[in-house]
Amino acid sequence: SVLRYITVISDDLLIDLIQVRKTLEAEATRLAAQNATEEDLKKIEHFALERQSLCARYRDDLKAVREELNALDYDFHKSIAEASKNKVIAAFILSIHSTFTEHQNRVSARAQIADQVNKLHLEIVEALKKRDQKQAKTLMYEHLQMVEDSLSSVISAQKGS
């Protein structure tokens, strides 16, 4: 399958995958705003707040907690997919877990990016809690667009060196 092929990933495929994620996860977030239980919302918020707290504690050395940051980020996105109550979207997010680590390792250890991610995660949580489907979808799309832009910048810089 294509997803098995993606486990050995090139820069171009990584960008392609983020572009697919933008579309699917934005819709998953809209559906989560509609379908999430209070328990789902607490779980999503927990991962966002834990990630923010970890970044604050290790602000000067985010690389030291990269694995924990990656796990919290993955849990945040996975929880939203599960809260959407769409089994296909949730299965997709689970199936691409290994690629999350690849792009996170390349962009998330920078404090500025970590701050932007945390801010958007918390804004997404607030939109979900308000059941604002349009805002939740827009914020997730913006979040993943920022990730795509950051990764593209890192890739360009690496190709230039």
Side-chain angles (χ1 to χ4, degrees):
S1 85
V2 171
L3 293 178
R4 272 199 206 110
Y5 174 70
I6 286 177
T7 59
V8 177
I9 197 157
S10 69
D11 290 342
D12 290 339
L13 280 176
L14 192 54
I15 295 296
D16 289 348
L17 186 60
I18 291 172
Q19 291 170 347
V20 170
R21 281 185 61 200
K22 275 191 308 198
T23 301
L24 285 179
E25 288 195 57
E27 180 61 13
T29 307
R30 184 192 71 75
L31 289 169
Q34 174 184 307
N35 299 325
T37 65
E38 288 304 311
E39 181 76 17
D40 292 331
L41 295 174
K42 286 178 186 172
K43 190 170 155 183
I44 294 163
E45 184 174 38
H46 166 78
F47 293 126
L49 291 172
E50 282 296 309
R51 189 180 192 287
Q52 181 184 44
S53 174
L54 188 62
C55 286
R57 287 194 317 270
Y58 289 89
R59 181 154 183 80
D60 295 329
D61 190 15
L62 291 175
K63 289 181 182 180
V65 291
R66 183 181 295 171
E67 287 182 27
E68 293 93 328
L69 288 174
N70 289 349
L72 288 167
D73 193 72
Y74 171 72
D75 288 339
F76 175 81
H77 287 270
K78 181 182 82 158
S79 297
I80 290 173
E82 290 170 346
S84 77
K85 308 305 182 202
N86 182 303
K87 291 177 181 71
V88 174
I89 292 173
F92 175 78
I93 297 303
L94 289 170
S95 73
I96 62 166
H97 173 67
S98 63
T99 62
F100 273 79
T101 303
E102 173 65 24
H103 78 260
Q104 288 168 332
N105 284 342
R106 295 174 77 174
V107 300
S108 67
R110 300 187 328 214
Q112 179 184 6
I113 300 297
D115 289 344
Q116 291 172 340
V117 167
N118 290 334
K119 179 180 181 290
L120 281 165
H121 279 190
L122 292 170
E123 288 175 1
I124 290 165
V125 168
E126 289 308 309
L128 290 172
K129 287 164 66 174
K130 291 177 185 170
R131 306 292 182 173
D132 187 335
Q133 295 177 44
K134 184 177 179 184
Q135 182 69 2
K137 181 177 183 173
T138 298
L139 287 166
M140 181 59 79
Y141 191 91
E142 288 174 4
H143 166 47
L144 292 171
Q145 183 63 57
M146 187 261 313
V147 170
E148 180 185 343
D149 293 345
S150 298
L151 183 60
S152 292
S153 176
V154 168
I155 290 169
S156 293
Q158 289 172 343
K159 285 181 180 176
S161 42

